[in-house]
Amino acid sequence: MTMPLDPDFSPGTVVTGKWKQGKYVILRTLGKGANGIVYLVQREPGGGRYALKMGFNGVDLQSEVNVLTSLEGQYSQAGHKSASYLKEVDDYRINGIDIPFYVMKYVRGEPIHHFIQKHGSDWITITGLRLLKKLAELHRLGYIFCDLKPQNVLVTRYGEVELIDYGGVSPVGRSVKQFTEWYDRGYWNAGSRVADPEYDVFSFALLLIHLLEGDELQQLAGEGLPQLRGMGPLSALIQRSERLSPYKGWLAPAVQGKFENAEIAFLHWKKHVYGPVKRQRESRSEPAPRWLIPSFALSALIMAGAIMFLLR
């Protein structure tokens, strides 16, 4: 059954599961996408906070739940922490309509573009590394994220990265069922819309360009006929942009599909993007001058002597 297009679930609304009788109080809306709405909720009585997603269409949401359940099982077998944090699946009956929903762990963070705007572009190096690692883990389990965009990447205050909204996740080799134009390989005539590791790597590359050259990317995306979009304008932007200069050696092969999978893309980023920045930071942390060491020792002895004298 399809849910109402614009349900007015204001803060304070209690969502009670039809089958499991779980009760969740809506605190606020976290986001609204193509296939559902996500709320921040408090489980009652006296439970923790979770993210609750209601689907516009039961079939679509069930497909998403199936993917999350599969990922839960595979991560568990592999000995990894669950990527989806799926807690409960049920229906909410209101006005004679059953609205499907599922409950997942609430990730405290902000979309990556907001995080970078607030804390500076220096954070791209480490957040990019962690995002590529997340994608590589997902790919090893046989799934492609597909709808990679800033809104679906949350960053915590410590720079940890979490993927959210698994509505677009597809098994390797299937057609991409959900995408956002700017980050879509097919939109740029750079490849097919088949779910493969290179698709996610391309999307990550476009996300990076968007973070640093959003105005330029918007101009390229809106110029000319669709059939004229291609690698030429993107490659030219990568080559001429000063902001993208530190990432040029990674971006060029990424948009051209030269990385066979996210694992290779991750290792390349770690060596050629993260590595130089890490070494530069370490070189700035110079050791204390040698003459300070005996000076500090002498000061400590004098202080100890003074204390002993006062205690006599």
Side-chain angles (χ1 to χ4, degrees), residues 259-296:
F259 296 130
E260 295 181 7
N261 53 56
E263 182 70 29
I264 295 175
F266 164 79
L267 293 174
H268 193 280
W269 182 282
K270 186 175 183 179
K271 181 178 180 180
H272 298 287
V273 177
Y274 178 72
V277 172
K278 182 181 179 183
R279 288 192 293 271
Q280 187 178 25
R281 288 173 180 168
E282 289 174 347
S283 67
R284 290 174 184 169
S285 303
E286 298 178 359
R290 291 184 178 180
W291 61 268
L292 276 178
I293 298 175
S295 177
F296 176 80

Side-chain angles (χ1 to χ4, degrees), residues 3-267:
M3 74 179 284
L5 292 180
D6 291 301
D8 184 17
F9 295 143
S10 57
T13 300
V14 179
V15 176
T16 302
K18 177 181 178 180
W19 308 106
K20 300 178 182 177
Q21 300 300 307
K23 292 186 177 182
Y24 301 90
V25 179
I26 292 179
L27 302 179
R28 62 183 172 91
T29 300
L30 292 175
K32 182 177 180 180
N35 62 347
I37 300 177
V38 181
Y39 298 99
L40 174 63
V41 298
Q42 178 91 31
R43 186 179 177 103
E44 293 295 334
R49 293 189 173 188
Y50 298 92
L52 184 151
K53 181 171 184 178
M54 291 185 175
F56 293 133
N57 183 280
V59 175
D60 288 345
L61 196 76
Q62 185 59 51
S63 176
E64 186 173 339
V65 168
N66 291 342
V67 171
L68 292 175
T69 302
S70 177
L71 288 175
E72 287 265 354
Q74 293 192 51
Y75 266 97
S76 178
Q77 290 178 8
H80 295 297
K81 187 178 180 181
S82 169
S84 63
Y85 315 103
L86 189 63
K87 299 296 180 182
E88 189 171 313
V89 181
D90 211 328
D91 294 324
Y92 174 44
R93 189 164 185 81
I94 182 171
N95 298 329
I97 298 176
D98 287 344
I99 304 176
F101 71 86
Y102 68 81
V103 181
M104 53 190 165
K105 179 180 177 180
Y106 169 54
V107 179
R108 295 179 181 272
E110 55 189 323
I112 190 170
H113 56 309
H114 292 163
F115 182 89
I116 297 301
Q117 287 172 2
K118 183 183 298 184
H119 300 284
S121 59
D122 288 347
W123 279 91
I124 289 177
T125 304
I126 184 63
T127 55
L129 183 74
R130 290 167 175 169
L131 177 53
L132 284 170
K133 185 178 180 180
K134 287 281 184 182
L135 292 173
E137 291 174 352
L138 186 64
H139 294 173
R140 283 197 292 271
L141 295 178
Y143 291 95
I144 308 301
F145 194 76
C146 296
D147 195 17
L148 188 65
K149 57 184 177 181
Q151 293 82 356
N152 287 346
V153 181
L154 290 188
V155 184
T156 70
R157 67 170 65 181
Y158 303 110
E160 296 296 332
V161 174
E162 293 288 354
L163 291 168
I164 63 170
D165 193 351
Y166 282 70
V169 173
S170 297
V172 174
R174 299 283 183 85
S175 296
V176 174
K177 60 182 179 180
Q178 189 172 312
F179 61 88
T180 302
E181 287 184 339
W182 278 21
Y183 317 100
D184 171 50
R185 185 171 60 185
Y187 180 79
W188 294 97
N189 296 312
S192 67
R193 289 196 177 110
V194 172
D196 56 38
E198 294 97 323
Y199 187 92
D200 274 352
V201 174
F202 180 92
S203 297
F204 174 85
L206 269 292
L207 187 152
L208 174 58
I209 295 173
H210 184 194
L211 290 175
L212 295 173
E213 290 287 7
D215 292 339
E216 289 278 351
L217 184 63
Q218 183 176 13
Q219 186 175 352
L220 288 181
E223 283 183 348
L225 299 172
Q227 59 266 32
L228 298 180
R229 294 191 205 102
M231 294 307 307
L234 279 178
S235 297
L237 172 58
I238 292 170
Q239 293 302 317
R240 70 172 180 266
S241 170
E242 291 186 9
R243 295 189 185 95
L244 296 176
S245 181
Y247 313 96
K248 188 183 302 183
W250 187 92
L251 277 171
V255 297
Q256 294 169 14
K258 297 293 181 65
F259 296 130
E260 295 181 7
N261 53 56
E263 182 70 29
I264 295 175
F266 164 79
L267 293 174

